[in-house]
Amino acid sequence: MSIIIASRLFLPEPGAAALRLGGLAKAFAQRNLPVTVLTSTYQKQDVQLPGVNIKRAPVLRDKLGAVRGYVQYMSFDIPLFVRLLAERKTQTVICEPPPTTGVVTRLACALKRVPYVYFAGDILTDAVKDSGAPEFVVNTVEKLERFALRGAALVITVTPGVEKRALEFGAKQTIMVPNGVDTSAYEGDIPENFPTGKKVLLYAGTASAVHGAGIFIEAFQKVYDAHPDTELVYLGQGTDWPKLQEMAAQTSLPIKFFPLVPNEVAKGWFKHSAVGLVSLPNNNYSYAYATKCLASLAHGTPVAYVGGGQTKEDIETHNLGVVAEFTADDVSEKIISLLDDIENHTAPASEALINWVETNRSLTTSSAKIADSIISMLLKN
């Protein structure tokens, strides 16, 4: 039994998709199954995973270094068709969004007469709708996504909302496994550029139109007035990055921006920050789970979350931080409240946050469940 993972992103590239596919590759290797990863080159860096054969090919990246955008997607997907056909002794292929990768995988697997698995971390059509894209773009993405989902022997989803949408798009068989995160402890020094002596409010990861991350800049004046030892930091990239920098430049507040850092360095930022900031406003995309929350909690840092869905339920039910409505006043009020609790030692204990993630959202556990589900599907077929 031989497994191929096809994704434009893979370790050591930062991001939820790269992490979960890395965890899945490790899970297959631990079960003594040959794993080949077809992915892109990344800043001349590589990673060695025992039992995993990683094959990289050049792709176009945007000015921020991300494989994001229609031209960039095609630079990976078109060669992927040939790369998939060239692989021999393939029992199944696992692919991730964007839907164009799913389309190419479906066509190649049809020729090879092997099943494929679609790992639906989200539904891109809904994100595109919320981005304000023209209707013809939304319709095109939806047609591609339906084609990718309908042809899959199994669709892995990460929330009940994503699973519901996948079924509406025509998925034949689904399994829902919540995203997991790397729960290994950070053992390094304070990261370079970290604002020492400050209470850092950290927004880490992608900031695009669907995230509404500018709400934290709008709310920061009141937070800073109440807690002048705070500093707002954006660590990452995204289509909204220039907009956020422009918003920050119009204030005199301590707001800093840093580019994406490797996962191991990001752990240090999460560990030493006072609060992790996450936003996913209530819209067509609100069923998605905010993985940024898990990354913060895994290192003992409570979160201030703006949004709804399962993320909101988990934070409120398990006392993992605070949840705010998508207004500057409510966001500032909730962050101030959390900072007050931190000063008064009444905030959630770091150990409790770490234990919750290890128990409920460990990458090792989620990867094992997905690997076993795929193996079971293959044995049945």
Side-chain angles (χ1 to χ4, degrees):
M1 190 179 292
S2 179
I3 310 291
I4 291 178
I5 295 175
S7 173
R8 73 193 196 284
L9 305 177
F10 195 73
L11 297 177
E13 192 152 358
L19 284 172
R20 63 179 169 243
L21 290 177
L24 184 57
K26 293 175 186 177
F28 282 126
Q30 288 166 356
R31 286 156 177 73
N32 296 317
L33 295 177
V35 185
T36 298
V37 178
L38 303 180
T39 188
S40 62
T41 54
Y42 175 64
Q43 296 181 358
K44 299 182 180 179
Q45 297 182 21
D46 208 345
V47 63
Q48 301 297 321
L49 302 180
V52 181
N53 182 19
I54 303 173
K55 297 182 178 180
R56 300 186 182 272
V59 293
L60 295 175
R61 292 178 177 266
D62 65 17
K63 61 183 179 181
L64 295 174
V67 188
R68 180 180 53 238
Y70 303 114
V71 174
Q72 287 80 8
Y73 291 161
M74 289 299 98
S75 74
F76 174 76
D77 293 327
I78 292 174
L80 175 64
F81 182 76
V82 177
R83 297 171 72 189
L84 285 171
L85 292 181
E87 293 293 325
R88 299 182 179 181
K89 298 180 181 179
T90 305
Q91 268 67 54
T92 192
V93 178
I94 302 161
C95 66
E96 270 248 347
T100 48
T101 302
V103 169
V104 167
T105 300
R106 179 175 178 177
L107 295 175
C109 287
L111 291 175
K112 294 172 73 72
R113 297 186 179 183
V114 298
Y116 72 94
V117 177
Y118 193 82
F119 204 141
D122 58 12
I123 300 296
L124 187 63
T125 301
D126 294 335
V128 173
K129 284 180 182 177
D130 284 332
S131 72
E135 186 176 353
F136 81 90
V137 174
V138 175
N139 291 339
T140 300
V141 172
E142 181 173 343
K143 288 177 182 178
L144 293 170
E145 196 151 30
R146 287 182 182 275
F147 184 81
L149 287 164
R150 285 174 176 170
L154 178 65
V155 175
I156 309 296
T157 64
V158 297
T159 69
V162 174
E163 183 170 51
K164 178 175 180 290
R165 292 293 283 148
L167 291 168
E168 291 171 353
F169 272 46
K172 293 179 291 190
Q173 182 181 353
T174 64
I175 179 173
M176 198 278 290
V177 182
N179 266 334
V181 293
D182 181 1
T183 56
S184 59
Y186 177 73
E187 304 293 348
D189 298 327
I190 294 177
E192 183 182 0
N193 295 321
F194 190 90
T196 55
K198 300 287 186 179
K199 290 189 177 72
V200 173
L201 311 180
L202 178 67
Y203 183 98
T206 301
S208 61
V210 74
H211 296 103
I215 192 68
F216 298 113
I217 296 176
E218 295 175 21
F220 189 44
Q221 181 67 66
K222 289 185 177 179
V223 175
Y224 185 70
D225 290 343
H227 291 272
D229 57 346
T230 54
E231 191 159 302
L232 176 57
V233 173
Y234 286 85
L235 179 74
Q237 63 178 14
T239 54
D240 266 13
W241 218 247
K243 175 185 173 183
L244 296 173
Q245 291 174 318
E246 183 178 335
M247 290 176 65
Q250 294 173 2
T251 77
S252 57
L253 298 168
I255 304 173
K256 293 182 178 178
F257 294 83
F258 298 104
L260 273 178
V261 295
N263 291 315
E264 284 301 315
V265 178
K267 288 182 182 182
W269 280 87
F270 284 119
K271 178 178 180 179
H272 292 286
S273 293
V275 178
L277 304 177
V278 185
S279 54
L280 199 61
N282 286 310
N283 48 34
N284 292 316
Y285 197 61
S286 60
Y287 56 75
Y289 199 95
T291 312
K292 297 179 182 71
C293 281
L294 301 178
S296 182
L297 297 170
H299 296 92
T301 301
V303 295
Y305 174 65
V306 183
Q310 186 63 48
T311 311
K312 176 179 183 291
E313 293 180 24
D314 282 347
I315 292 170
E316 293 180 333
T317 301
H318 303 287
N319 189 28
L320 307 176
V322 294
V323 176
E325 298 296 326
F326 195 70
T327 68
D329 285 343
D330 198 45
V331 171
S332 60
E333 178 183 329
K334 296 298 173 56
I335 293 176
I336 290 169
S337 172
L338 182 53
L339 289 170
D340 289 343
D341 287 344
I342 291 172
E343 285 188 357
N344 297 327
H345 304 288
T346 55
S350 294
E351 294 79 7
L353 301 177
I354 294 169
N355 289 339
W356 184 85
V357 176
E358 288 179 340
T359 301
N360 296 280
R361 294 301 175 90
S362 161
L363 179 62
T364 301
T365 301
S366 63
S367 298
K369 184 174 181 180
I370 293 169
D372 290 340
S373 297
I374 293 173
I375 293 169
S376 176
M377 179 270 293
L378 291 173
L379 292 175
K380 287 178 182 179
N381 290 339

